[in-house]
Amino acid sequence: MEKFYTPKDVERKFGINRNTLTHWRANLIGPDCLRWKGKILYHAKDIEEWFRIDEAETEAKLKKNMRKKSVAIEKRPEAPQPKPEPQPESEKEWLTPIEVSEKYDISHKTLANWRSEGRGPAYHKMGKRIRYPLDKLEEWFASNEVKRYQSRRR
């Protein structure tokens, strides 16, 4: 007597999810099956052969991929080292936008607007960080000082 497996049996014995079997049937891949009295059945010989062949192919592919990966790892050049960010000579000489806003009573958002418009004090971009040299800040604020004169009224 011939032996047949249901999808549930295949799942238990071979560890293949029933949804995967359904997907295979819909796409006409995987082991052959037949419908009998509303049930899906896999012939035992077919399914066992399918998984033996599939295992062998999978192992061959894994070995081939491992060889490729090992060759790729051996040939892979060293990753380029990131360039070190220029470090300020002294932390006291460089200010962050927040420090500038606190020291000069200007919103850090105003500084950001000035940077985007190309106005405002000179700054340096160090990676993603914005730094203002203290001497340039003082020069800029001194040059933009508004002098008010008293008007003479008669």
Side-chain angles (χ1 to χ4, degrees):
M1 184 173 186
E2 292 185 66
K3 185 174 180 183
F4 291 92
Y5 291 120
T6 65
K8 193 173 185 176
D9 297 331
V10 172
E11 185 175 35
R12 262 189 263 126
K13 184 164 181 162
F14 298 99
I16 298 295
N17 189 322
R18 282 182 270 181
N19 291 332
T20 303
L21 290 170
T22 304
H23 175 74
W24 287 351
R25 283 193 309 272
N27 292 298
L28 303 175
I29 56 177
D32 290 332
C33 63
L34 59 103
R35 288 183 190 262
W36 185 68
K37 293 187 179 180
K39 291 184 180 180
I40 303 222
L41 299 172
Y42 295 94
H43 196 276
K45 287 181 185 176
D46 290 342
I47 198 132
E48 287 169 359
E49 183 181 333
W50 170 265
F51 284 107
R52 250 184 279 123
I53 292 170
D54 190 45
E55 267 183 28
E57 286 177 359
T58 303
E59 285 179 29
K61 285 179 186 177
L62 284 173
K63 285 179 183 176
K64 186 177 179 182
N65 285 339
M66 289 303 289
R67 274 186 260 132
K68 282 182 182 177
K69 285 181 183 177
S70 65
V71 168
I73 289 170
E74 289 170 9
K75 290 182 181 179
R76 186 183 333 175
E78 288 185 25
Q81 297 297 323
K83 293 180 182 177
E85 291 183 11
Q87 294 297 318
E89 295 168 8
S90 163
E91 286 299 319
K92 292 181 181 176
E93 295 180 0
W94 297 83
L95 299 177
T96 65
I98 300 294
E99 293 169 337
V100 173
S101 67
E102 290 170 356
K103 182 173 179 162
Y104 294 99
D105 196 29
I106 294 175
S107 168
H108 67 278
K109 291 181 180 181
T110 299
L111 291 169
N113 285 335
W114 284 350
R115 286 193 304 270
S116 70
E117 294 170 359
R119 300 175 26 202
Y123 66 93
H124 292 267
K125 207 166 181 184
M126 298 174 191
K128 291 183 178 181
R129 299 181 191 113
I130 304 292
R131 296 290 184 264
Y132 290 91
L134 186 58
D135 57 340
K136 299 288 184 182
L137 276 170
E138 289 171 353
E139 283 176 25
W140 190 82
F141 281 108
S143 69
N144 286 300
E145 186 176 315
V146 176
K147 296 180 181 175
R148 297 184 123 188
Y149 297 100
Q150 288 182 339
S151 61
R152 294 185 179 185
R153 290 191 182 178
R154 292 186 190 196

